[in-house]
Amino acid sequence: MERRATIKDVAEAAGVGVATVSRVLSGGSASPRTRERVLAVAAQLDYRPSALGRNLRQRRTGGMGLLVPDLTDTFYGQLAEGVLACARSAGEPVVLGSTGGDPEQESELIGMLLEQSVDRLIAVPSGDAETWAPAIRAGMTVVFADRLPAPAAAEEDVRAAALTDLLALDGLPATPQTRPLDVPAVVADDRAGIRTAVRYLRGLGHKRIAFLGGPGHDRRVAAFREAVGAPVDEELVVFGTGSRDSAYAAASGLFQSRPDLSAVVTGGNVLGEAAVLAARELDLRVPRDVSLVMYDDVPWAELCSPPLTVIAQPGRDMGYRAAELVLRAGTRKPRSVVLPTELIIRGSCGPRR
Amino acid sequence: MERRATIKDVAEAAGVGVATVSRVLSGGSASPRTRERVLAVAAQLDYRPSALGRNLRQRRTGGMGLLVPDLTDTFYGQLAEGVLACARSAGEPVVLGSTGGDPEQESELIGMLLEQSVDRLIAVPSGDAETWAPAIRAGMTVVFADRLPAPAAAEEDVRAAALTDLLALDGLPATPQTRPLDVPAVVADDRAGIRTAVRYLRGLGHKRIAFLGGPGHDRRVAAFREAVGAPVDEELVVFGTGSRDSAYAAASGLFQSRPDLSAVVTGGNVLGEAAVLAARELDLRVPRDVSLVMYDDVPWAELCSPPLTVIAQPGRDMGYRAAELVLRAGTRKPRSVVLPTELIIRGSCGPRR
DNA sequence: TTGAAAGCGCTAACAG
DNA sequence: CTGTTAGCGCTTTCAA
């Protein structure tokens, strides 16, 4: 393992000062003669500027951090691919962390990124505003993707505050008092997605429609509540904690406690998976006994039988756009982006029996 | 965005020299009194040592790089989760890259990592030994996971060389002349996995068993060839290039050109997905018309109907072990690891019709 | 247009 | 046990 050539080596070999080499390589001014010589020598020595030196000098790391709950969830895989694609085309490194949906791990990872001087971050947040305050205070440029962190547990009615704030992004009325974090985000148009799905199910005659959600699905539940309209049958709105086991338990519990439901909308693909499994276990036929609409279009949705009707959201685009935002953040103050969803009708919904 | 406290700030505030602070924080010797004071001040100032400074000084970045072909493939998601879990428990950052299975992108990413002075790398390689030579030469500690790079296109019979070398890892005879890369690897026991699957199918009466592979499945094909025994019906061994489209095309082509086959083994889950889709499109019933065994146990395997019989390999463990190897590499020369596979019988195989 | 020099924050000699 | 000092490789004034 031979030592890599440094800028000094290049300077000496080219008979110029290090400053000149630096300038030439970063596109600064230099006489054609010098530039040519430096370039030649650099190529000859296979010189690659050390990011370490540059970063220390500039007191910041290039590239960006990426925090997702779980790479085993295909949707986050798609999202990550989008981020990586954008980063690659910008030649920037991506430091990845998986939080497992745990705010504490998320905090630790934020700390780790801070330590690395990674000052740009794309995150599918698991913690609330309080978890994120340190990152913001430290001057990180963060862009949220897929969802927003819940407002901090401040006043009395956290949940209400969360919902009004989150709904605001989709155009629902919000009380302006609670603007917890001023961070741009790239999210899907959950409101439209859910609304379309609920309407579709309604059109098939379904009355008792359940919602099966998980962490981070606040905006989706809110939209669901809005779409089904008051009064909401609260027993038909259930949550898992994020793990596959808990998702399965939630789905199974739902089906057993409310055998009268005829359709369910899930807030994510892991919950959709759980619903299919639980239904099968309980001998509920899809769509004869129960209709199913799942959030996220993942490749295996088509493999199920019947193939799953889904609310597709562009995971890859979401990641790509988020990466763009975080990279351009220096230039202009980024504005949040809402990406369209699409109801893809396959075979998991039928008329109410 | 206030400036972060540096070691100098801590030293001044504690009335000691910077070296002392450095020592205390890295567990060096110091009087209890001093240690306590430094620690207190550091905490008070919320001091976090800058990885930048440390890395520059030590001329290497902590942490590790991770290169996978595609995060949208659940298996690589599992693998990545394993790597991240190990890295997290070691407090080390992970720089991620997705190669899309393209050697050229892989090279570029290696270059990027070199530039970042990331000197430890876990990779599911797409390029051959030649692609990897620069990384090795540069002194990177690399550990391959899931597969090995094909030997460089040197002599005349590349494929033969590749196979002998690859088979060696599973205990097949190999000619010692071609040891392309001396890099530890963490792989599944493909030979046993494939053999078990083929025997199982044989036991069900299947004679014409096909193999549907993709890039990086060399060891699996070789094992397949060995398991079915000569003469191998070459038309029953087909390959996709890695994309979902190409996998589908390969599967569809196989089913159409050889309607007489009664079972197929796929080298990975993307190919399994393609096989299910293609079979359905051609009105082949699984397992009545065709039996299917897929490599990789992914959550959705169970959702298919019938649920897919799979050769499970421990993706997460694989990642974890690889990360351990790469982290311990300084201590002892790491030895390759072969992880066990397991045939999980579900419903996609039946007796030959 | 160019080079010398001053650090960025940290660790590792080396003295005291 | 502790402080001083010399860089790690790079960018960036500031003069020449």
Side-chain angles (χ1 to χ4, degrees):
Chain A
M1 165 178 180
E2 70 269 27
R3 201 176 58 79
R4 261 174 56 194
T6 74
I7 198 175
K8 211 169 150 192
D9 301 327
V10 178
E12 278 171 13
V16 300
V18 291
T20 303
V21 177
S22 175
R23 262 185 238 111
V24 168
L25 264 49
S26 46
S29 60
S31 79
R33 273 183 45 86
T34 322
R35 141 167 283 107
E36 198 175 345
R37 193 143 40 91
V38 169
L39 254 24
V41 172
Q44 218 277 303
L45 263 47
D46 190 31
Y47 168 68
R48 320 185 53 108
S50 154
L52 250 34
R54 183 184 325 129
N55 293 342
L56 177 58
R57 174 60 219 244
Q58 305 183 154
R59 319 157 110 239
R60 48 171 297 267
T61 302
M64 62 191 93
L66 171 62
L67 257 33
V68 295
D70 174 19
L71 278 176
T72 267
D73 179 329
T74 313
F75 175 73
Y76 299 125
Q78 296 173 343
L79 183 87
E81 279 288 333
V83 170
L84 291 174
C86 181
R88 182 172 47 237
S89 71
E92 303 266 28
V94 173
V95 180
L96 175 70
S98 169
T99 65
D102 176 11
E104 204 159 324
Q105 282 188 49
E106 191 170 70
S107 280
E108 278 175 30
L109 286 167
I110 292 173
M112 188 266 279
L113 292 172
L114 246 23
E115 204 159 306
Q116 302 291 327
S117 304
V118 172
D119 58 358
R120 292 195 262 239
L121 177 53
I122 293 162
V124 177
S126 294
D128 60 13
E130 206 167 341
T131 306
W132 285 93
I136 314 291
R137 262 204 311 271
M140 268 189 159
T141 300
V142 4
V143 171
F144 291 124
D146 180 54
R147 59 207 210 200
L148 272 32
E155 318 287 320
E156 65 294 74
D157 195 350
V158 183
R159 176 154 284 280
L163 292 185
T164 56
D165 183 67
L166 293 162
L167 290 170
L169 197 58
D170 287 334
L172 288 189
T175 45
Q177 77 229 37
T178 327
R179 274 241 64 85
L181 250 31
D182 185 29
V183 168
V186 180
V187 296
D189 189 345
D190 289 337
R191 197 183 174 208
I194 294 285
R195 195 202 307 129
T196 308
V198 169
R199 282 196 187 153
Y200 170 64
L201 290 169
R202 278 271 168 74
L204 289 169
H206 295 280
K207 304 287 188 218
R208 302 195 198 293
I209 306 175
F211 184 87
L212 189 53
H217 294 165
D218 318 67
R219 298 174 58 236
R220 294 174 194 169
V221 219
F224 176 78
R225 290 194 142 89
E226 191 206 19
V228 298
V232 175
D233 184 339
E234 292 298 337
E235 271 187 16
L236 291 181
V237 180
V238 307
F239 288 85
T241 62
S243 72
R244 288 193 154 80
D245 285 351
S246 126
Y248 180 83
S252 186
L254 174 66
F255 287 138
Q256 291 180 273
S257 67
R258 291 299 298 264
D260 60 320
L261 67 78
S262 70
V264 23
V265 177
T266 76
N269 72 80
V270 173
L271 290 145
E273 180 190 315
V276 173
L277 249 26
R280 178 189 303 166
E281 198 60 37
L282 296 168
D283 268 324
L284 295 170
R285 313 287 297 185
V286 175
R288 222 199 48 194
D289 301 327
V290 58
S291 288
L292 195 58
V293 179
M294 165 173 103
Y295 223 102
D296 297 341
D297 189 25
V298 290
W300 53 262
E302 220 170 333
L303 295 186
C304 284
S305 23
L308 265 33
T309 291
V310 301
I311 301 166
Q313 56 171 338
R316 198 191 154 89
D317 290 356
M318 201 172 283
Y320 200 98
R321 298 292 295 273
E324 280 184 332
L325 282 193
V326 88
L327 285 178
R328 277 165 188 46
T331 320
R332 74 200 72 190
K333 176 72 182 167
R335 216 39 232 120
S336 289
V337 176
V338 177
L339 264 26
T341 60
E342 187 190 354
L343 181 69
I344 299 184
I345 296 177
R346 295 204 262 249
S348 62
C349 295
R352 179 170 64 127
R353 59 173 158 152
Chain B
M1 166 180 182
E2 71 268 30
R3 200 175 58 80
R4 262 175 55 194
T6 76
I7 197 175
K8 212 170 151 192
D9 301 326
V10 177
E12 279 172 12
V16 299
V18 290
T20 303
V21 177
S22 175
R23 265 185 234 110
V24 169
L25 265 48
S26 47
S29 60
S31 80
R33 273 184 44 86
T34 323
R35 145 166 280 107
E36 199 177 342
R37 193 146 39 91
V38 169
L39 253 24
V41 172
Q44 217 277 304
L45 264 48
D46 189 33
Y47 169 68
R48 323 186 53 110
S50 155
L52 251 35
R54 184 185 325 131
N55 293 343
L56 178 57
R57 176 59 220 248
Q58 306 185 154
R59 320 160 107 234
R60 50 171 295 269
T61 301
M64 62 191 91
L66 170 62
L67 257 33
V68 295
D70 174 19
L71 279 176
T72 266
D73 180 329
T74 312
F75 175 73
Y76 299 125
Q78 295 172 343
L79 186 99
E81 279 289 334
V83 171
L84 292 174
C86 181
R88 183 172 46 235
S89 72
E92 303 267 28
V94 174
V95 179
L96 174 71
S98 170
T99 64
D102 176 12
E104 203 158 325
Q105 282 188 51
E106 192 169 69
S107 280
E108 278 175 31
L109 286 168
I110 292 173
M112 188 266 280
L113 292 172
L114 247 23
E115 204 159 306
Q116 302 291 327
S117 305
V118 172
D119 57 0
R120 293 197 260 242
L121 177 53
I122 294 162
V124 177
S126 294
D128 60 13
E130 204 168 342
T131 306
W132 285 93
I136 314 291
R137 261 203 313 272
M140 267 189 159
T141 300
V142 4
V143 171
F144 292 124
D146 179 55
R147 58 206 212 201
L148 272 34
E155 318 287 318
E156 66 293 72
D157 195 350
V158 183
R159 175 153 285 279
L163 292 184
T164 58
D165 182 68
L166 294 161
L167 290 171
L169 196 58
D170 286 334
L172 288 188
T175 44
Q177 76 227 38
T178 327
R179 273 242 63 84
L181 249 31
D182 185 27
V183 168
V186 180
V187 296
D189 190 346
D190 289 337
R191 197 184 175 208
I194 294 285
R195 194 202 309 127
T196 307
V198 169
R199 282 195 187 154
Y200 170 64
L201 290 169
R202 278 270 168 73
L204 289 169
H206 295 280
K207 304 285 188 220
R208 302 195 198 293
I209 307 175
F211 184 87
L212 189 52
H217 294 165
D218 318 67
R219 298 174 57 237
R220 295 176 193 167
V221 219
F224 176 79
R225 291 194 143 89
E226 190 205 20
V228 298
V232 175
D233 184 340
E234 292 297 340
E235 270 187 16
L236 291 181
V237 179
V238 307
F239 287 85
T241 61
S243 72
R244 289 194 152 79
D245 284 351
S246 125
Y248 179 84
S252 186
L254 174 65
F255 286 137
Q256 290 179 275
S257 67
R258 292 297 298 264
D260 60 321
L261 67 80
S262 71
V264 23
V265 176
T266 75
N269 72 80
V270 172
L271 291 143
E273 180 189 316
V276 173
L277 250 24
R280 178 188 303 166
E281 197 60 36
L282 296 168
D283 266 323
L284 294 170
R285 311 287 297 186
V286 175
R288 223 197 49 194
D289 300 327
V290 58
S291 288
L292 195 57
V293 178
M294 162 172 105
Y295 223 101
D296 298 342
D297 188 25
V298 290
W300 54 260
E302 219 170 332
L303 296 186
C304 285
S305 17
L308 265 32
T309 291
V310 301
I311 300 165
Q313 56 171 337
R316 199 190 153 89
D317 291 356
M318 199 172 284
Y320 200 99
R321 299 291 297 270
E324 279 183 331
L325 282 194
V326 89
L327 285 179
R328 277 161 188 47
T331 320
R332 73 201 70 192
K333 175 73 183 167
R335 219 35 237 119
S336 289
V337 175
V338 176
L339 265 24
T341 60
E342 187 190 354
L343 182 69
I344 299 184
I345 297 177
R346 293 203 264 250
S348 60
C349 296
R352 181 169 62 128
R353 60 174 160 151

